[in-house]
Amino acid sequence: ELKVEQNPLFLSMQEGKNYTIYCNYSTTSDRLYWYRQDPGKSLESLFVLLSNGAVKQEGRLMASLDTKARLSTLHITAAVHDLSATYFCAVDPYGGSQGNLIFGKGTKLSVKP
Amino acid sequence: DAMVIQNPRYQVTQFGKPVTLSCSQTLNHNVMYWYQQKSSQAPKLLFHYYDKDFNNEADTPDNFQSRRPNTSFCFLDIRSPGLGDAAMYLCATRLAVRTDTQYFGPGTRLTVL
């Protein structure tokens, strides 16, 4: 069975602290996506990781991909309240051009002053 | 400017009363997806269109149908909504190239009374 597992599922952080969210997946995939979702809102694309060793950074967020370990990480540096949201990773297990995604359960991040 | 538009944003229907949700896009993307997202869960793919080719996920109930009359529009029909169909329905589009991500609309929140 294809599985995409995120941990932790809930994360409460203080402002200014660093933390990492992990995304493990059970199938071969060289494409991994990270999305952000605010409460009651839709999903916003954060990162597209397309190869082993890919690293992308945007502001306080940095994502990386290790396809051999089937692991992606989303690292948060010096968290601020505005980063509070649910973060989903997703993999494309079929390759090709149709881009079907299997999502993890999401990590609900709460950043407190 | 909005790129993926969903209407209505909120829909209330009665048990068993058919309902249609609408999605339109200005991106000229050839792939369109419908997801169901229940509270505190990951989005679950229902089906997608690659151009005019319809692809149904194996576990999508027969109660759910879709139409794509042209590139810009896609509809989700729920023939006989049950209480378990109450959810956020997300439409997404993608250009069928390796490097692209999915672009999500704002979603339609469906309530079944």
Side-chain angles (χ1 to χ4, degrees):
Chain A
E1 182 189 349
L2 176 60
K3 289 184 180 179
V4 180
E5 295 183 339
Q6 288 183 236
N7 72 84
L9 296 182
F10 298 93
L11 178 55
S12 181
M13 297 175 64
Q14 282 196 315
E15 281 192 329
K17 298 292 187 183
N18 304 333
Y19 209 84
T20 300
I21 299 171
Y22 297 89
C23 175
N24 290 275
Y25 53 97
S26 63
T27 188
T28 302
S29 176
D30 62 356
R31 283 186 266 189
L32 190 130
Y33 304 79
W34 284 96
Y35 290 88
R36 169 182 171 147
Q37 186 175 37
D38 291 298
K41 306 289 186 182
S42 190
L43 278 77
E44 174 191 356
S45 178
L46 293 175
F47 301 109
V48 181
L49 303 169
L50 295 173
S51 61
N52 186 41
V55 176
K56 291 197 173 179
Q57 183 164 3
E58 180 73 33
R60 300 174 187 274
L61 301 177
M62 184 173 70
S64 66
L65 178 62
D66 180 344
T67 58
K68 294 180 181 178
R70 299 182 183 176
L71 171 68
S72 180
T73 61
L74 181 66
H75 186 73
I76 303 155
T77 302
V80 293
H81 179 70
D82 285 351
L83 290 179
S84 297
T86 298
Y87 293 84
F88 290 96
C89 66
V91 299
D92 174 1
Y94 307 114
S97 55
Q98 301 207 19
N100 291 3
L101 297 180
I102 307 297
F103 284 83
K105 291 185 176 182
T107 296
K108 187 171 183 179
L109 172 65
S110 175
V111 181
K112 302 183 185 303
Chain B
D1 289 341
M3 297 182 291
V4 183
I5 301 163
Q6 292 188 243
N7 284 302
R9 296 290 309 280
Y10 301 90
Q11 175 73 57
V12 180
T13 191
Q14 291 183 330
F15 184 96
K17 185 175 181 181
V19 66
T20 295
L21 310 183
S22 166
C23 177
S24 64
Q25 54 134 337
T26 60
L27 298 164
N28 205 33
H29 284 172
N30 44 359
V31 193
M32 294 186 78
Y33 308 82
W34 279 106
Y35 289 88
Q36 179 192 64
Q37 187 180 27
K38 296 187 177 181
S39 182
S40 300
Q41 295 186 20
K44 180 179 179 298
L45 182 64
L46 295 174
F47 24 60
H48 77 277
Y49 277 92
Y50 189 118
D51 293 323
K52 293 184 179 179
D53 291 335
F54 176 71
N55 297 271
N56 199 32
E57 293 299 298
D59 56 355
T60 298
D62 292 340
N63 199 24
F64 292 85
Q65 305 283 320
S66 185
R67 296 170 283 135
R68 188 180 186 185
N70 53 52
T71 300
S72 300
F73 285 87
C74 195
F75 300 96
L76 170 62
D77 301 308
I78 308 176
R79 292 192 294 184
S80 182
L83 297 179
D85 297 327
M88 175 79 90
Y89 289 88
L90 296 166
C91 173
T93 74
R94 179 175 176 271
L95 188 63
V97 295
R98 173 178 166 78
T99 56
D100 206 12
T101 186
Q102 293 187 15
Y103 297 86
F104 283 82
T108 295
R109 182 163 296 283
L110 177 67
T111 300
V112 182
L113 301 177

PDB file of all heavy atoms in Angstrom, chain B residues 93-104:
ATOM      1  N   THR B  93      -5.438  22.549 -10.985  1.00  0.00           N
ATOM      2  CA  THR B  93      -5.033  22.414 -12.382  1.00  0.00           C
ATOM      3  C   THR B  93      -3.524  22.278 -12.445  1.00  0.00           C
ATOM      4  O   THR B  93      -2.804  22.638 -11.510  1.00  0.00           O
ATOM      5  CB  THR B  93      -5.461  23.629 -13.233  1.00  0.00           C
ATOM      6  OG1 THR B  93      -4.609  24.748 -12.920  1.00  0.00           O
ATOM      7  CG2 THR B  93      -6.895  24.015 -12.968  1.00  0.00           C
ATOM      8  N   ARG B  94      -3.076  21.757 -13.566  1.00  0.00           N
ATOM      9  CA  ARG B  94      -1.638  21.580 -13.745  1.00  0.00           C
ATOM     10  C   ARG B  94      -1.339  21.530 -15.229  1.00  0.00           C
ATOM     11  O   ARG B  94      -2.099  20.943 -16.005  1.00  0.00           O
ATOM     12  CB  ARG B  94      -1.184  20.287 -13.074  1.00  0.00           C
ATOM     13  CG  ARG B  94       0.291  19.971 -13.196  1.00  0.00           C
ATOM     14  CD  ARG B  94       0.634  18.727 -12.384  1.00  0.00           C
ATOM     15  NE  ARG B  94       2.019  18.346 -12.557  1.00  0.00           N
ATOM     16  CZ  ARG B  94       2.455  17.529 -13.508  1.00  0.00           C
ATOM     17  NH1 ARG B  94       1.595  17.024 -14.386  1.00  0.00           N
ATOM     18  NH2 ARG B  94       3.724  17.236 -13.601  1.00  0.00           N
ATOM     19  N   LEU B  95      -0.215  22.131 -15.591  1.00  0.00           N
ATOM     20  CA  LEU B  95       0.308  21.969 -16.937  1.00  0.00           C
ATOM     21  C   LEU B  95       1.107  20.680 -16.949  1.00  0.00           C
ATOM     22  O   LEU B  95       1.937  20.452 -16.068  1.00  0.00           O
ATOM     23  CB  LEU B  95       1.195  23.156 -17.305  1.00  0.00           C
ATOM     24  CG  LEU B  95       1.676  23.230 -18.748  1.00  0.00           C
ATOM     25  CD1 LEU B  95       0.491  23.380 -19.697  1.00  0.00           C
ATOM     26  CD2 LEU B  95       2.641  24.397 -18.915  1.00  0.00           C
ATOM     27  N   ALA B  96       0.815  19.818 -17.913  1.00  0.00           N
ATOM     28  CA  ALA B  96       1.385  18.475 -17.884  1.00  0.00           C
ATOM     29  C   ALA B  96       2.846  18.458 -18.303  1.00  0.00           C
ATOM     30  O   ALA B  96       3.220  17.905 -19.326  1.00  0.00           O
ATOM     31  CB  ALA B  96       0.564  17.544 -18.778  1.00  0.00           C
ATOM     32  N   VAL B  97       3.665  19.098 -17.499  1.00  0.00           N
ATOM     33  CA  VAL B  97       5.108  19.004 -17.691  1.00  0.00           C
ATOM     34  C   VAL B  97       5.722  18.623 -16.363  1.00  0.00           C
ATOM     35  O   VAL B  97       5.160  18.882 -15.305  1.00  0.00           O
ATOM     36  CB  VAL B  97       5.723  20.334 -18.204  1.00  0.00           C
ATOM     37  CG1 VAL B  97       5.201  20.647 -19.589  1.00  0.00           C
ATOM     38  CG2 VAL B  97       5.417  21.474 -17.245  1.00  0.00           C
ATOM     39  N   ARG B  98       6.880  18.032 -16.405  1.00  0.00           N
ATOM     40  CA  ARG B  98       7.505  17.438 -15.233  1.00  0.00           C
ATOM     41  C   ARG B  98       7.667  18.425 -14.086  1.00  0.00           C
ATOM     42  O   ARG B  98       7.497  18.096 -12.930  1.00  0.00           O
ATOM     43  CB  ARG B  98       8.862  16.874 -15.647  1.00  0.00           C
ATOM     44  CG  ARG B  98       9.707  16.383 -14.507  1.00  0.00           C
ATOM     45  CD  ARG B  98      11.013  15.799 -15.008  1.00  0.00           C
ATOM     46  NE  ARG B  98      11.962  15.636 -13.930  1.00  0.00           N
ATOM     47  CZ  ARG B  98      11.929  14.651 -13.042  1.00  0.00           C
ATOM     48  NH1 ARG B  98      10.982  13.750 -13.118  1.00  0.00           N
ATOM     49  NH2 ARG B  98      12.832  14.580 -12.088  1.00  0.00           N
ATOM     50  N   THR B  99       7.992  19.645 -14.433  1.00  0.00           N
ATOM     51  CA  THR B  99       8.396  20.592 -13.396  1.00  0.00           C
ATOM     52  C   THR B  99       7.237  21.300 -12.718  1.00  0.00           C
ATOM     53  O   THR B  99       7.446  22.065 -11.786  1.00  0.00           O
ATOM     54  CB  THR B  99       9.305  21.662 -14.003  1.00  0.00           C
ATOM     55  OG1 THR B  99       8.601  22.276 -15.092  1.00  0.00           O
ATOM     56  CG2 THR B  99      10.601  21.063 -14.504  1.00  0.00           C
ATOM     57  N   ASP B 100       6.021  21.031 -13.168  1.00  0.00           N
ATOM     58  CA  ASP B 100       4.948  21.870 -12.671  1.00  0.00           C
ATOM     59  C   ASP B 100       4.281  21.304 -11.430  1.00  0.00           C
ATOM     60  O   ASP B 100       4.220  20.097 -11.222  1.00  0.00           O
ATOM     61  CB  ASP B 100       3.892  22.084 -13.759  1.00  0.00           C
ATOM     62  CG  ASP B 100       3.139  23.386 -13.552  1.00  0.00           C
ATOM     63  OD1 ASP B 100       3.575  24.210 -12.735  1.00  0.00           O
ATOM     64  OD2 ASP B 100       2.107  23.582 -14.228  1.00  0.00           O
ATOM     65  N   THR B 101       3.737  22.209 -10.631  1.00  0.00           N
ATOM     66  CA  THR B 101       2.973  21.825  -9.454  1.00  0.00           C
ATOM     67  C   THR B 101       1.486  21.923  -9.781  1.00  0.00           C
ATOM     68  O   THR B 101       1.111  22.270 -10.904  1.00  0.00           O
ATOM     69  CB  THR B 101       3.322  22.737  -8.278  1.00  0.00           C
ATOM     70  OG1 THR B 101       2.668  22.251  -7.094  1.00  0.00           O
ATOM     71  CG2 THR B 101       2.862  24.167  -8.532  1.00  0.00           C
ATOM     72  N   GLN B 102       0.646  21.586  -8.840  1.00  0.00           N
ATOM     73  CA  GLN B 102      -0.790  21.771  -8.999  1.00  0.00           C
ATOM     74  C   GLN B 102      -1.182  23.102  -8.382  1.00  0.00           C
ATOM     75  O   GLN B 102      -0.696  23.476  -7.318  1.00  0.00           O
ATOM     76  CB  GLN B 102      -1.563  20.635  -8.326  1.00  0.00           C
ATOM     77  CG  GLN B 102      -1.364  19.291  -9.015  1.00  0.00           C
ATOM     78  CD  GLN B 102      -2.260  18.200  -8.452  1.00  0.00           C
ATOM     79  OE1 GLN B 102      -3.229  18.469  -7.748  1.00  0.00           O
ATOM     80  NE2 GLN B 102      -1.930  16.958  -8.767  1.00  0.00           N
ATOM     81  N   TYR B 103      -2.083  23.796  -9.067  1.00  0.00           N
ATOM     82  CA  TYR B 103      -2.577  25.077  -8.590  1.00  0.00           C
ATOM     83  C   TYR B 103      -4.011  24.867  -8.125  1.00  0.00           C
ATOM     84  O   TYR B 103      -4.869  24.473  -8.914  1.00  0.00           O
ATOM     85  CB  TYR B 103      -2.509  26.125  -9.694  1.00  0.00           C
ATOM     86  CG  TYR B 103      -1.097  26.398 -10.140  1.00  0.00           C
ATOM     87  CD1 TYR B 103      -0.490  25.609 -11.113  1.00  0.00           C
ATOM     88  CD2 TYR B 103      -0.357  27.425  -9.569  1.00  0.00           C
ATOM     89  CE1 TYR B 103       0.822  25.835 -11.507  1.00  0.00           C
ATOM     90  CE2 TYR B 103       0.947  27.664  -9.958  1.00  0.00           C
ATOM     91  CZ  TYR B 103       1.529  26.860 -10.928  1.00  0.00           C
ATOM     92  OH  TYR B 103       2.826  27.084 -11.306  1.00  0.00           O
ATOM     93  N   PHE B 104      -4.254  25.175  -6.869  1.00  0.00           N
ATOM     94  CA  PHE B 104      -5.543  24.891  -6.264  1.00  0.00           C
ATOM     95  C   PHE B 104      -6.446  26.110  -6.270  1.00  0.00           C
ATOM     96  O   PHE B 104      -5.997  27.253  -6.081  1.00  0.00           O
ATOM     97  CB  PHE B 104      -5.358  24.413  -4.821  1.00  0.00           C
ATOM     98  CG  PHE B 104      -4.893  22.991  -4.717  1.00  0.00           C
ATOM     99  CD1 PHE B 104      -3.551  22.674  -4.860  1.00  0.00           C
ATOM    100  CD2 PHE B 104      -5.798  21.970  -4.482  1.00  0.00           C
ATOM    101  CE1 PHE B 104      -3.116  21.358  -4.778  1.00  0.00           C
ATOM    102  CE2 PHE B 104      -5.378  20.659  -4.400  1.00  0.00           C
ATOM    103  CZ  PHE B 104      -4.033  20.353  -4.540  1.00  0.00           C
TER     104      PHE B 104
END
